[in-house]
Amino acid sequence: MIANRAMATLRSFASVFKVSYGELEIGVEAEADSAASGNLETDLPNLLLAVRQSAKAAERPVARFPSGFRLYPRRKGGRESEQGASALPDPYQVHELDKTASVSSPLAAPQPSRRWRILLLLALAELLGMSLWFTASAVAPQLQAAWGLSVQQAGWLTTFVQLGFVAGTAVAAILNLADVVPARLYFAASALCAALVNALLIVAPGYTEALGLRFLTGFFLAGVYPPAMKMIATWFQSGRGLAIGTIVGALTLGKATPYLMRALEGANLEPVVLTASAGAVAAALLVTLGYSEGPFPFARRPFSWKLVGTVIRHRPTRLAIGGYLGHMWELYAVWTWIPAFLGASALAMHAGAPSQVRIDMAAFGAIGTGALGCVLGGWAADRIGRGRLVNLSMAISGACCLFAGFFFGANFWIVVAIAWVWGFFVVADSAQFSAMVTEVAPSHAVGTALTLQTSLGFLLTMVTIQAVPAMVETAGWRWAFPLLALGPALGIVAIRRFQRLTDPANRTPKPGQRTIDEAGSRG
């Protein structure tokens, strides 16, 4: 076992050893009392994972852990990390040359045989649980007819889910529920509560009560989506990017399923809503009966109001969050309104217009293709780098924002093809933004940074979800989406600056130039 060999090395070589990964050599120093720390075994998997991430992404390679580990990376035959040679401890200089102090690559660490079964189980649970998100949007025409709603009022049925999700995320972070309540129980209880309030939509007496129910649906879904990221991370030390991409892909497909249900079961309110609630109940049962914590403990990342200023002042974290906000400016507005766009475009054709079933299937595909985008995006990010992947995705989805309207009323299958390409790329980068934040944020503020990122992102979606129908009423569907391109454009700018700041070639400052840590601390 790597952990046992590393422990022996720590005891034998003055608490200093070296990990080699590809072209990177990582000196690892443990503080004097670390060998007796109860956290040592807990930190070793995280330490080795950090080595792997440093070698592949070259972002924030110097890391610290609660048990006292500190990493000092440098490329073989090259110069040291941004601290410089003088910052490396003397024992490192001696034992870095001693091959007996080497530890194998973390890729050689044994992985649990059950991890793929757990991934399948959690992916299925996410698909079923997150089907609640767009149930009201899928049956919006029926609710509009029943309550005499405008298009903008129908949009609020989704906007209140966003608002509830932000509130649920904030409450969970402040109460630290993810660390206090076992993940399996937290997920199951949240899914059951979300299923109940979603089902009550069919007996809601009016629009105001429906908004309250949609808020509560989003509130409880905050216990279904974020915890699943943590749950799968405990099973994957290698291949974690693909695993998290699969989970995000599953929840994307889940959000598309109400449109599939509408196509299969007709446009009636009750079958669509109750099928989604039944799926969430099944998700709760799956996780309760089939999930257990994995062998790789997930570090506690509590939220603290005191650290919000630290996160905002830290420039690399601020830029990573900025890229995420550009992504979110577009994402949920597209998911909310692309089905209506497809329906309106089909009606504008007059002769040869497709059936409602085909329109609903096309809407399902426009959102559902994002599932494949998430999985392939996670795979590609591990190979070409997160920055390149997210910028490519935002460039393509931003182009769709600008040009999709020009095809309004054209051949339906051309419009569908554009919508499916758009749906693929609009979410392919989603999982990578959180990964970038965890890699660059100050280690003691990671939990705060992630909560701030999620809350700001979902609050921002409320603006564009309401902006699109306003544009439709003002200028028509042809000009409804170009406003959304602003988000990807600004997101690309933020991520390009992030790449320049975190690129290893820029880590050794020129005379008078600040280091990355100085840039981060001074904003």
Side-chain angles (χ1 to χ4, degrees):
M1 293 288 292
I2 288 179
N4 294 334
R5 294 174 59 192
M7 292 277 287
T9 305
L10 283 173
R11 297 189 183 100
S12 302
F13 291 92
S15 297
V16 175
F17 66 93
K18 183 189 74 174
V19 180
S20 295
Y21 186 88
E23 292 300 312
L24 203 69
E25 294 177 339
I26 312 289
V28 184
E29 179 193 28
E31 294 174 357
D33 60 347
S34 295
S37 169
N39 291 328
L40 191 60
E41 294 87 343
T42 298
D43 275 355
L44 266 170
N46 295 327
L47 182 149
L48 296 177
L49 178 62
V51 171
R52 177 173 180 264
Q53 292 173 336
S54 298
K56 300 190 77 169
E59 294 172 349
R60 296 291 290 174
V62 176
R64 301 174 190 275
F65 296 90
S67 63
F69 282 121
R70 289 181 289 178
L71 305 189
Y72 298 92
R74 70 176 183 179
R75 296 201 175 276
K76 294 178 181 178
R79 58 179 181 272
E80 292 77 1
S81 66
E82 69 262 27
Q83 265 90 354
S86 60
L88 299 178
D90 290 339
Y92 175 88
Q93 298 291 353
V94 174
H95 296 298
E96 185 271 340
L97 300 176
D98 191 330
K99 299 306 179 184
T100 62
S102 296
V103 178
S104 302
S105 161
L107 288 180
Q111 299 297 311
S113 58
R114 292 178 54 210
R115 64 179 187 157
W116 297 109
R117 186 165 61 116
I118 294 294
L119 177 60
L120 178 62
L121 181 145
L122 276 180
L124 181 58
E126 279 295 295
L127 188 156
L128 294 171
M130 297 305 288
S131 64
L132 304 176
W133 200 287
F134 284 123
T135 50
S137 299
V139 296
Q142 290 71 49
L143 297 179
Q144 284 179 270
W147 295 331
L149 305 180
S150 67
V151 175
Q152 279 199 305
Q153 285 177 311
W156 281 105
L157 292 169
T158 298
T159 301
F160 264 69
V161 179
Q162 314 294 111
L163 185 60
F165 184 82
V166 172
T169 300
V171 169
I174 293 170
L175 298 180
N176 203 22
L177 293 180
D179 291 319
V180 174
V181 182
R184 178 170 56 89
L185 298 180
Y186 182 33
F187 183 106
S190 298
L192 289 174
C193 290
L196 174 62
V197 295
N198 180 74
L200 291 177
L201 185 64
I202 65 175
V203 296
Y207 177 61
T208 302
E209 293 79 6
L211 289 178
L213 291 172
R214 297 312 291 160
F215 176 90
L216 289 175
T217 301
F219 184 90
F220 290 120
L221 286 178
V224 174
Y225 169 21
M229 304 296 107
K230 172 184 173 181
M231 292 161 71
I232 198 60
T234 67
W235 282 94
F236 282 80
Q237 190 177 33
S238 64
R240 186 174 287 182
L242 177 61
I244 292 178
T246 301
I247 295 296
V248 176
L251 69 90
T252 300
L253 190 60
K255 289 178 179 180
T257 53
Y259 295 98
L260 178 62
M261 292 300 101
R262 193 171 79 170
L264 297 178
E265 300 176 358
N268 294 327
L269 173 69
E270 290 83 0
V272 175
V273 172
L274 293 180
T275 299
S277 287
V281 172
L285 292 175
L286 274 174
V287 170
T288 300
L289 299 177
Y291 177 78
S292 60
E293 290 288 331
F296 306 119
F298 197 81
R300 295 185 63 182
R301 291 170 173 172
F303 173 84
S304 172
W305 286 107
K306 298 177 182 179
L307 295 176
V308 171
T310 300
V311 170
I312 293 174
R313 289 190 297 271
H314 191 259
R315 192 179 180 211
T317 306
R318 192 169 68 238
L319 290 172
I321 292 176
Y324 175 77
L325 295 181
H327 160 76
M328 292 295 280
W329 173 268
E330 176 194 16
L331 177 62
Y332 275 85
V334 172
W335 276 353
T336 301
W337 295 113
I338 196 67
F341 172 78
L342 289 170
S345 181
L347 290 176
M349 291 175 59
H350 302 299
S355 66
Q356 185 61 48
V357 171
R358 290 187 175 183
I359 295 173
D360 290 338
M361 292 298 291
F364 166 73
I367 301 174
T369 52
L372 182 60
C374 289
V375 175
L376 295 181
W379 175 84
D382 286 339
R383 285 153 179 79
I384 67 173
R386 303 191 203 284
R388 290 179 63 188
L389 184 278
V390 301
N391 280 348
L392 175 64
S393 296
M394 286 192 288
I396 295 175
S397 65
C400 290
C401 292
L402 292 174
F403 299 113
F406 292 107
F407 294 89
F408 181 79
N411 180 279
F412 182 68
W413 299 113
I414 294 177
V415 178
V416 168
I418 294 171
W420 284 28
V421 169
W422 196 356
F424 180 96
F425 284 101
V426 76
V427 72
D429 52 353
S430 194
Q432 307 310 316
F433 291 103
S434 295
M436 286 192 284
V437 168
T438 60
E439 290 170 356
V440 302
S443 59
H444 64 290
V446 168
T448 302
L450 289 172
T451 301
L452 186 66
Q453 178 195 47
T454 301
S455 299
L456 291 177
F458 277 86
L459 284 173
L460 188 62
T461 64
M462 297 170 61
V463 176
T464 49
I465 288 174
Q466 293 305 124
V468 169
M471 291 298 297
V472 172
E473 291 181 0
T474 302
W477 278 108
R478 292 184 186 276
W479 302 101
F481 295 121
L483 176 66
L484 301 184
L486 182 65
L490 294 178
I492 290 172
V493 171
I495 297 303
R496 286 180 65 86
R497 291 180 178 178
F498 173 89
Q499 288 176 295
R500 288 197 296 268
L501 190 62
T502 57
D503 192 301
N506 299 327
R507 291 186 181 276
T508 303
K510 298 176 182 178
Q513 182 181 354
R514 293 184 296 171
T515 66
I516 182 174
D517 286 330
E518 291 172 333
S521 62
R522 299 180 193 175

